Amino acid sequence: MAREYPLDRVRNIGIIAHIDAGKTTTTERILYYTGMTHKIGEVHDGATTTDYMEQERERGITITSAAVTCYWQRRQDPKAPKYQINIIDTPGHVDFTIEVERSLRVLDGACVVFDGVAGVEPQSETVWRQADRYHVPRMCFVNKLDRTGANFFRCVDMITERLKARPAVMTLPIGIESGFKGIVDLLRMKALVWKEETLGAAFDTLDIPEDLKAQAAEYRDKLVEQCADVDDDVAAKYLEGGEVTEADIIRALRKGCLSTKLIPTFCGSAFKNKGVQFMLDAVLDLLPSPIDIPPVKGKDLRDESKEIIRQTKDDEPLTALAFKLLNDKFGQLTFVRVYAGTLKKGASVMNARTGRRLRIGRLVRMFADKREEIEECCAGGIAAVMGIECVTGDTLCDEDKPIVLERLTVPPAVVTLAIEPKSKADQEKMGIGLGRLAAEDPSLRLKTDEETAQTTIAGMGELHLEIIVDRLKREYGVEANVGKPQVAYRETITKSVEQEGKYVKQTGGRGQYGHVWLRVMPNETGKGFEFDSKVVGGTVPKEFIPAVEKGVEGALLRGIRAGYPVVDVKVELFDGSYHDVDSNANAFEIAGSMAFKDGCKQAGPIILEPVMKVEVVTPEDWMGDVIGDLNSRRGQVQGMEDRAGMKVVSALVPLAEMFGYANAIRSRTQGRASYTMEFGHYEAVPNNIAEAIIAKSGGG
């Protein structure tokens, strides 16, 4: 079967942004203009294509990323070929940041949407850093320029200052706020003015208005200068005073965009249907196709020290990543990005993590919650497989040429919630429901306390867990009682110690003997747990060293003083002894656990708490109240700035003090202030609070 679109005419892009910047509205306009929908869905009506879950439509926010496919050809050239654009509309709320993470992991390019009034907001910075981590080329769309307080140039300055990026301005607004009526196209030096009677679907191409000619010339010159910095041919023409053509600028911009040295930046108002078609043309011209990005790298499954590179070609051995799972009434759907080779319906593939063979029964192309059966998905494509056994981050590959790709980075859970079924009948359903939801969402952690049999769920925030409980009820029919949200504390140590652990037990017949010396040290923040063996002379036989490590890992989870997991410690096994008859793995595991626990108690143990980055946007009248309230919550104010007639207060506040903040800030400011919060880092808890946490946990 021939490929539907050649690789150079395929684009895999994500729409990413802070909450409420207009991602879903932008996606809706793209689907409308590309002919995939015949009616524009609006977020406030609960009628959008990509926000199809009941919870999304009720709340007016995106919770789960949705994949859609559309087709577009350049407007100015009726003979131009059509391109296939695979789009993933991602959530903007920080509680669902894993959805952005896994989407960026498999996308070739991204369109970052900014609110023209608020500019660069906290979650804008988060998604930008995620795109940096995966080296995703991107472009910017400054949205909502029709709103009061919108300022395109201030947004461009914020992109430069806050994100340390280099925006290449491609369009200038004609008019602003309620007078926003068109854009100046700096590529062709023309004005595009929308016809209001067509609701912005059509526009006239005119000469640039007199009052904007000087500004347009200035920004066009800046654009050519930026192109000269990344392209030698443009630099030569620019320095010699020659004419830099439209084709020269597109070529240079594409080069700058692919290397992320330049970020093409556009303006418009998606809600008013202005600027989206122009941005779509730029997706074709400037964002990468699957062959423009470096070939995928993985490890040889048979020899992990060996790196394998697979080219983006249909005839290469199959290399695909399962990046998202979705359970619905039809069963489990696995979203797959094919990096190399061809994924075919009816074929057998291997799951690199489990080593099992999987048969591809049904292969579908997704259009939000609708699906279209396809026979195959070629290199560079995104599709979904129905009913296969795998989890997020698994590699699907050729059985004869196995490869394993890098797994996803999952952020730490910061809020936990106790949950129990209301009746015996709900018990089993809750187990099944939570298991499926955890398979879908890697940022959801499940834990059952062995002593109390209490189930706890941990996630990225209060809203995240609220949605999980809501989905349990609606999708799995589980009525549950939930406790108050709790903070996910951690424990660590501040000093290095050497500690002996000896487990000797003599019962009639064969006894138990395990003896170790451990060096327990603080590790760098964020490095987690590291174990190393420095044993010389066989004082601890090699076959027992993994058992010592297992014992230490078990003790890590049980905590030191308050029962919270221990993080950022380094453990070295440097000595010990054994008994020819009585020593076994079990004895060394217990000895390792004892040595680690006793050592940690003497190593200056401290409790760590998650500290959140909080940004409050408030009218000036209430700024004093807001700052006073943040200080009373152990917050540290980091800065204040003006934004569109409002004051913006940035602070670091412990999560433990932020529960119920939404109601508190509403009542303090007569409902006029808003805030955003995202995980910052873990930090030591003050002594008086640590003592209270230990007392509450029953530790000491």
Side-chain angles (χ1 to χ4, degrees), residues 10-53:
V10 173
R11 299 287 181 272
N12 294 312
I13 66 164
I15 311 286
I16 61 175
H18 182 91
I19 190 168
D20 212 24
K23 294 175 302 301
T24 301
T25 303
T26 303
T27 307
E28 284 299 317
R29 297 317 185 263
I30 290 172
L31 296 177
Y32 178 70
Y33 288 127
T34 55
M36 301 308 288
T37 57
H38 301 293
K39 178 178 179 290
I40 294 176
E42 301 294 6
V43 173
H44 56 264
D45 294 335
T48 57
T49 304
T50 53
D51 284 356
Y52 57 83
M53 286 170 65

Short mmCIF file of all heavy atoms in Angstrom, two decimals, residues 10-53:
data_model
loop_
_atom_site.label_atom_id
_atom_site.label_comp_id
_atom_site.label_asym_id
_atom_site.label_seq_id
_atom_site.Cartn_x
_atom_site.Cartn_y
_atom_site.Cartn_z
N VAL A 10 4.36 15.86 5.72
CA VAL A 10 3.68 15.47 6.96
C VAL A 10 4.21 16.38 8.08
O VAL A 10 5.40 16.66 8.15
CB VAL A 10 3.99 13.99 7.31
CG1 VAL A 10 3.44 13.63 8.70
CG2 VAL A 10 3.41 13.05 6.26
N ARG A 11 3.31 16.84 8.92
CA ARG A 11 3.71 17.65 10.08
C ARG A 11 3.04 17.05 11.32
O ARG A 11 1.82 16.84 11.34
CB ARG A 11 3.26 19.11 9.94
CG ARG A 11 3.87 19.85 8.75
CD ARG A 11 5.33 20.19 8.95
NE ARG A 11 5.88 20.91 7.82
CZ ARG A 11 6.41 20.33 6.73
NH1 ARG A 11 6.45 19.00 6.66
NH2 ARG A 11 6.91 21.06 5.77
N ASN A 12 3.84 16.79 12.36
CA ASN A 12 3.31 16.34 13.65
C ASN A 12 3.53 17.48 14.64
O ASN A 12 4.66 17.74 15.04
CB ASN A 12 4.05 15.09 14.14
CG ASN A 12 3.80 13.89 13.24
OD1 ASN A 12 2.67 13.60 12.89
ND2 ASN A 12 4.86 13.21 12.85
N ILE A 13 2.46 18.18 15.01
CA ILE A 13 2.65 19.36 15.87
C ILE A 13 1.76 19.29 17.10
O ILE A 13 0.72 18.64 17.10
CB ILE A 13 2.38 20.68 15.10
CG1 ILE A 13 0.91 20.80 14.69
CG2 ILE A 13 3.30 20.81 13.90
CD1 ILE A 13 0.50 22.19 14.28
N GLY A 14 2.18 19.99 18.13
CA GLY A 14 1.38 20.11 19.34
C GLY A 14 0.99 21.55 19.55
O GLY A 14 1.72 22.46 19.15
N ILE A 15 -0.17 21.77 20.14
CA ILE A 15 -0.58 23.12 20.54
C ILE A 15 -0.39 23.16 22.05
O ILE A 15 -1.06 22.43 22.79
CB ILE A 15 -2.06 23.40 20.18
CG1 ILE A 15 -2.36 23.03 18.72
CG2 ILE A 15 -2.42 24.85 20.47
CD1 ILE A 15 -1.83 23.96 17.67
N ILE A 16 0.55 23.98 22.53
CA ILE A 16 0.88 23.99 23.96
C ILE A 16 0.79 25.42 24.51
O ILE A 16 1.03 26.37 23.78
CB ILE A 16 2.29 23.39 24.24
CG1 ILE A 16 3.40 24.20 23.54
CG2 ILE A 16 2.36 21.94 23.83
CD1 ILE A 16 4.81 23.73 23.87
N ALA A 17 0.43 25.56 25.79
CA ALA A 17 0.29 26.90 26.38
C ALA A 17 -0.11 26.80 27.83
O ALA A 17 -0.44 25.73 28.35
CB ALA A 17 -0.76 27.70 25.63
N HIS A 18 -0.13 27.96 28.48
CA HIS A 18 -0.68 28.13 29.83
C HIS A 18 -2.20 27.93 29.74
O HIS A 18 -2.79 28.12 28.68
CB HIS A 18 -0.34 29.54 30.31
CG HIS A 18 -0.80 29.85 31.69
ND1 HIS A 18 -0.01 29.63 32.79
CD2 HIS A 18 -1.96 30.35 32.16
CE1 HIS A 18 -0.67 29.99 33.88
NE2 HIS A 18 -1.86 30.43 33.52
N ILE A 19 -2.81 27.60 30.87
CA ILE A 19 -4.27 27.41 30.89
C ILE A 19 -4.97 28.69 30.44
O ILE A 19 -4.56 29.79 30.80
CB ILE A 19 -4.74 26.96 32.30
CG1 ILE A 19 -6.21 26.52 32.27
CG2 ILE A 19 -4.50 28.04 33.35
CD1 ILE A 19 -6.65 25.81 33.52
N ASP A 20 -5.99 28.55 29.62
CA ASP A 20 -6.84 29.65 29.17
C ASP A 20 -6.14 30.62 28.20
O ASP A 20 -6.59 31.75 28.04
CB ASP A 20 -7.37 30.44 30.39
CG ASP A 20 -8.75 31.02 30.11
OD1 ASP A 20 -9.45 30.46 29.24
OD2 ASP A 20 -9.12 32.02 30.72
N ALA A 21 -5.07 30.18 27.54
CA ALA A 21 -4.44 31.06 26.53
C ALA A 21 -5.14 30.91 25.18
O ALA A 21 -4.96 31.74 24.29
CB ALA A 21 -2.96 30.72 26.39
N GLY A 22 -5.93 29.83 25.02
CA GLY A 22 -6.70 29.66 23.78
C GLY A 22 -6.24 28.53 22.89
O GLY A 22 -6.46 28.55 21.68
N LYS A 23 -5.63 27.47 23.48
CA LYS A 23 -5.15 26.34 22.68
C LYS A 23 -6.30 25.62 21.97
O LYS A 23 -6.24 25.37 20.77
CB LYS A 23 -4.43 25.30 23.57
CG LYS A 23 -3.17 25.75 24.19
CD LYS A 23 -2.61 24.70 25.12
CE LYS A 23 -3.53 24.32 26.22
NZ LYS A 23 -3.95 25.42 27.10
N THR A 24 -7.33 25.27 22.76
CA THR A 24 -8.43 24.49 22.19
C THR A 24 -9.19 25.31 21.15
O THR A 24 -9.60 24.80 20.10
CB THR A 24 -9.36 24.00 23.32
OG1 THR A 24 -8.57 23.19 24.21
CG2 THR A 24 -10.50 23.17 22.79
N THR A 25 -9.37 26.61 21.42
CA THR A 25 -10.05 27.49 20.46
C THR A 25 -9.23 27.56 19.16
O THR A 25 -9.79 27.50 18.06
CB THR A 25 -10.23 28.90 21.06
OG1 THR A 25 -10.95 28.77 22.28
CG2 THR A 25 -11.00 29.81 20.12
N THR A 26 -7.91 27.66 19.29
CA THR A 26 -7.03 27.69 18.10
C THR A 26 -7.17 26.39 17.32
O THR A 26 -7.29 26.39 16.09
CB THR A 26 -5.56 27.92 18.53
OG1 THR A 26 -5.48 29.13 19.29
CG2 THR A 26 -4.64 28.02 17.33
N THR A 27 -7.17 25.25 18.04
CA THR A 27 -7.32 23.95 17.38
C THR A 27 -8.65 23.86 16.65
O THR A 27 -8.73 23.36 15.52
CB THR A 27 -7.20 22.80 18.41
OG1 THR A 27 -5.98 22.98 19.16
CG2 THR A 27 -7.17 21.45 17.74
N GLU A 28 -9.72 24.35 17.29
CA GLU A 28 -11.05 24.33 16.65
C GLU A 28 -11.04 25.10 15.33
O GLU A 28 -11.65 24.69 14.34
CB GLU A 28 -12.09 24.95 17.59
CG GLU A 28 -12.52 24.04 18.72
CD GLU A 28 -13.16 22.74 18.26
OE1 GLU A 28 -13.98 22.77 17.33
OE2 GLU A 28 -12.80 21.69 18.81
N ARG A 29 -10.37 26.28 15.34
CA ARG A 29 -10.30 27.08 14.10
C ARG A 29 -9.51 26.36 13.03
O ARG A 29 -9.86 26.38 11.85
CB ARG A 29 -9.66 28.46 14.37
CG ARG A 29 -10.41 29.37 15.34
CD ARG A 29 -11.91 29.35 15.10
NE ARG A 29 -12.66 30.27 15.93
CZ ARG A 29 -13.28 29.95 17.06
NH1 ARG A 29 -13.19 28.73 17.55
NH2 ARG A 29 -13.99 30.85 17.70
N ILE A 30 -8.43 25.69 13.42
CA ILE A 30 -7.63 24.93 12.45
C ILE A 30 -8.50 23.86 11.80
O ILE A 30 -8.50 23.68 10.57
CB ILE A 30 -6.38 24.31 13.13
CG1 ILE A 30 -5.38 25.41 13.51
CG2 ILE A 30 -5.71 23.28 12.23
CD1 ILE A 30 -4.21 24.93 14.36
N LEU A 31 -9.27 23.13 12.62
CA LEU A 31 -10.13 22.06 12.09
C LEU A 31 -11.20 22.61 11.17
O LEU A 31 -11.56 22.00 10.17
CB LEU A 31 -10.77 21.28 13.25
CG LEU A 31 -9.80 20.51 14.16
CD1 LEU A 31 -10.55 19.83 15.29
CD2 LEU A 31 -9.01 19.49 13.36
N TYR A 32 -11.70 23.80 11.50
CA TYR A 32 -12.73 24.42 10.67
C TYR A 32 -12.16 24.86 9.32
O TYR A 32 -12.72 24.55 8.26
CB TYR A 32 -13.33 25.62 11.41
CG TYR A 32 -14.38 26.36 10.62
CD1 TYR A 32 -15.63 25.79 10.36
CD2 TYR A 32 -14.13 27.63 10.11
CE1 TYR A 32 -16.59 26.46 9.63
CE2 TYR A 32 -15.08 28.32 9.37
CZ TYR A 32 -16.31 27.73 9.13
OH TYR A 32 -17.26 28.39 8.40
N TYR A 33 -11.03 25.55 9.36
CA TYR A 33 -10.45 26.06 8.10
C TYR A 33 -9.91 24.94 7.21
O TYR A 33 -9.85 25.08 6.00
CB TYR A 33 -9.34 27.08 8.39
CG TYR A 33 -9.88 28.38 8.91
CD1 TYR A 33 -9.40 28.94 10.09
CD2 TYR A 33 -10.90 29.04 8.24
CE1 TYR A 33 -9.91 30.13 10.58
CE2 TYR A 33 -11.43 30.23 8.73
CZ TYR A 33 -10.93 30.77 9.90
OH TYR A 33 -11.46 31.93 10.37
N THR A 34 -9.52 23.81 7.82
CA THR A 34 -9.02 22.70 7.00
C THR A 34 -10.15 21.80 6.53
O THR A 34 -9.92 20.78 5.88
CB THR A 34 -7.99 21.86 7.80
OG1 THR A 34 -8.58 21.43 9.02
CG2 THR A 34 -6.73 22.64 8.10
N GLY A 35 -11.40 22.17 6.88
CA GLY A 35 -12.56 21.42 6.39
C GLY A 35 -12.85 20.15 7.16
O GLY A 35 -13.68 19.34 6.74
N MET A 36 -12.19 19.95 8.32
CA MET A 36 -12.43 18.72 9.09
C MET A 36 -13.71 18.83 9.92
O MET A 36 -14.30 17.84 10.31
CB MET A 36 -11.24 18.41 10.01
CG MET A 36 -9.92 18.22 9.27
SD MET A 36 -10.02 17.03 7.91
CE MET A 36 -10.16 15.49 8.79
N THR A 37 -14.10 20.07 10.26
CA THR A 37 -15.40 20.27 10.92
C THR A 37 -16.14 21.35 10.12
O THR A 37 -15.51 22.19 9.48
CB THR A 37 -15.23 20.75 12.38
OG1 THR A 37 -14.45 21.95 12.39
CG2 THR A 37 -14.57 19.70 13.24
N HIS A 38 -17.45 21.33 10.18
CA HIS A 38 -18.24 22.29 9.41
C HIS A 38 -18.94 23.30 10.30
O HIS A 38 -19.65 24.17 9.84
CB HIS A 38 -19.26 21.55 8.53
CG HIS A 38 -18.56 20.60 7.60
ND1 HIS A 38 -17.75 21.03 6.58
CD2 HIS A 38 -18.49 19.25 7.59
CE1 HIS A 38 -17.24 19.98 5.96
NE2 HIS A 38 -17.67 18.90 6.55
N LYS A 39 -18.68 23.16 11.61
CA LYS A 39 -19.24 24.13 12.56
C LYS A 39 -18.16 24.37 13.61
O LYS A 39 -17.55 23.42 14.09
CB LYS A 39 -20.49 23.54 13.20
CG LYS A 39 -21.14 24.44 14.24
CD LYS A 39 -22.41 23.77 14.79
CE LYS A 39 -23.08 24.61 15.85
NZ LYS A 39 -22.33 24.70 17.10
N ILE A 40 -17.93 25.63 13.93
CA ILE A 40 -16.90 25.95 14.92
C ILE A 40 -17.45 25.66 16.32
O ILE A 40 -18.49 26.19 16.71
CB ILE A 40 -16.47 27.43 14.82
CG1 ILE A 40 -15.76 27.68 13.47
CG2 ILE A 40 -15.55 27.80 15.96
CD1 ILE A 40 -15.38 29.12 13.23
N GLY A 41 -16.74 24.79 17.04
CA GLY A 41 -17.13 24.49 18.42
C GLY A 41 -16.49 25.49 19.37
O GLY A 41 -15.35 25.88 19.17
N GLU A 42 -17.22 25.90 20.41
CA GLU A 42 -16.68 26.87 21.36
C GLU A 42 -16.53 26.22 22.73
O GLU A 42 -17.38 25.45 23.17
CB GLU A 42 -17.60 28.09 21.48
CG GLU A 42 -17.82 28.85 20.18
CD GLU A 42 -16.56 29.52 19.62
OE1 GLU A 42 -15.46 29.32 20.17
OE2 GLU A 42 -16.68 30.23 18.61
N VAL A 43 -15.43 26.60 23.43
CA VAL A 43 -15.16 26.06 24.76
C VAL A 43 -16.30 26.42 25.72
O VAL A 43 -16.78 25.57 26.48
CB VAL A 43 -13.81 26.60 25.30
CG1 VAL A 43 -13.60 26.18 26.74
CG2 VAL A 43 -12.66 26.11 24.43
N HIS A 44 -16.77 27.69 25.67
CA HIS A 44 -17.79 28.11 26.64
C HIS A 44 -19.14 27.43 26.40
O HIS A 44 -20.00 27.41 27.28
CB HIS A 44 -17.94 29.64 26.64
CG HIS A 44 -18.26 30.22 25.29
ND1 HIS A 44 -17.28 30.72 24.47
CD2 HIS A 44 -19.42 30.35 24.62
CE1 HIS A 44 -17.85 31.16 23.34
NE2 HIS A 44 -19.14 30.94 23.42
N ASP A 45 -19.34 26.87 25.21
CA ASP A 45 -20.60 26.14 24.93
C ASP A 45 -20.46 24.65 25.26
O ASP A 45 -21.43 23.90 25.15
CB ASP A 45 -20.98 26.26 23.45
CG ASP A 45 -21.34 27.69 23.07
OD1 ASP A 45 -21.75 28.43 23.98
OD2 ASP A 45 -21.19 28.05 21.89
N GLY A 46 -19.22 24.21 25.59
CA GLY A 46 -18.98 22.78 25.80
C GLY A 46 -19.18 21.98 24.53
O GLY A 46 -19.68 20.86 24.55
N ALA A 47 -18.78 22.58 23.39
CA ALA A 47 -19.07 21.92 22.10
C ALA A 47 -17.83 21.72 21.25
O ALA A 47 -17.92 21.58 20.04
CB ALA A 47 -20.09 22.77 21.33
N THR A 48 -16.65 21.71 21.88
CA THR A 48 -15.43 21.58 21.08
C THR A 48 -15.17 20.13 20.71
O THR A 48 -15.63 19.20 21.38
CB THR A 48 -14.21 22.13 21.85
OG1 THR A 48 -14.12 21.44 23.09
CG2 THR A 48 -14.36 23.62 22.11
N THR A 49 -14.39 19.94 19.66
CA THR A 49 -14.07 18.61 19.16
C THR A 49 -13.06 17.91 20.07
O THR A 49 -13.23 16.74 20.43
CB THR A 49 -13.46 18.71 17.74
OG1 THR A 49 -14.38 19.43 16.91
CG2 THR A 49 -13.21 17.34 17.15
N THR A 50 -12.00 18.64 20.45
CA THR A 50 -10.90 17.98 21.19
C THR A 50 -11.17 17.86 22.69
O THR A 50 -10.62 17.00 23.35
CB THR A 50 -9.56 18.70 20.94
OG1 THR A 50 -9.73 20.10 21.23
CG2 THR A 50 -9.11 18.54 19.52
N ASP A 51 -12.01 18.75 23.26
CA ASP A 51 -12.42 18.59 24.66
C ASP A 51 -13.72 17.80 24.68
O ASP A 51 -14.81 18.37 24.76
CB ASP A 51 -12.63 19.96 25.33
CG ASP A 51 -11.32 20.66 25.66
OD1 ASP A 51 -10.27 20.05 25.44
OD2 ASP A 51 -11.37 21.81 26.14
N TYR A 52 -13.59 16.46 24.60
CA TYR A 52 -14.80 15.65 24.45
C TYR A 52 -15.24 14.96 25.74
O TYR A 52 -16.34 14.45 25.82
CB TYR A 52 -14.60 14.60 23.34
CG TYR A 52 -13.41 13.69 23.58
CD1 TYR A 52 -13.50 12.58 24.40
CD2 TYR A 52 -12.19 13.96 22.99
CE1 TYR A 52 -12.41 11.76 24.64
CE2 TYR A 52 -11.08 13.15 23.20
CZ TYR A 52 -11.20 12.06 24.03
OH TYR A 52 -10.11 11.26 24.26
N MET A 53 -14.37 14.95 26.78
CA MET A 53 -14.77 14.32 28.04
C MET A 53 -15.81 15.20 28.74
O MET A 53 -15.76 16.42 28.63
CB MET A 53 -13.55 14.17 28.96
CG MET A 53 -12.60 13.06 28.57
SD MET A 53 -11.07 13.15 29.53
CE MET A 53 -11.67 12.82 31.18
#
